[in-house]
Amino acid sequence: MGLYRENGQRITKSAFPAVTLADPPKRITENVYQTEPYGRGDGRPEGSRRHLLYEAGDMESFPVSARRSL
């Protein structure tokens, strides 16, 4: 699997004409929280803590890895 020219010649990664672009900022429409469990750790739910990651109305530029986890 890979990229090939019309004549069948393989395009190597170093020869691929790619340019890195910055992601445009996105407006957060609602509060985004991270939830972390806390308690004794015996398998029973004891509760959780919520931490505000992004507040509604903020402008953020998310890297690709962060977009997958949200």
Side-chain angles (χ1 to χ4, degrees):
M1 186 174 201
L3 297 174
Y4 296 88
R5 291 188 164 75
E6 290 179 7
N7 64 4
Q9 182 183 10
R10 184 179 167 96
I11 301 172
T12 62
K13 186 175 181 178
S14 62
F16 188 75
V19 178
T20 304
L21 299 175
D23 289 331
K26 307 284 185 200
R27 182 169 302 280
I28 308 298
T29 57
E30 60 186 61
N31 290 347
V32 177
Y33 295 92
Q34 178 181 18
T35 304
E36 297 178 356
Y38 72 94
R40 293 178 294 185
D42 59 1
R44 294 184 299 163
E46 298 289 331
S48 60
R49 296 180 186 160
R50 290 177 41 161
H51 302 279
L52 181 63
L53 289 179
Y54 302 103
E55 191 170 356
D58 287 349
M59 294 291 288
E60 294 289 334
S61 181
F62 297 102
V64 175
S65 60
R67 277 184 253 156
R68 288 189 212 122
S69 65
L70 291 179

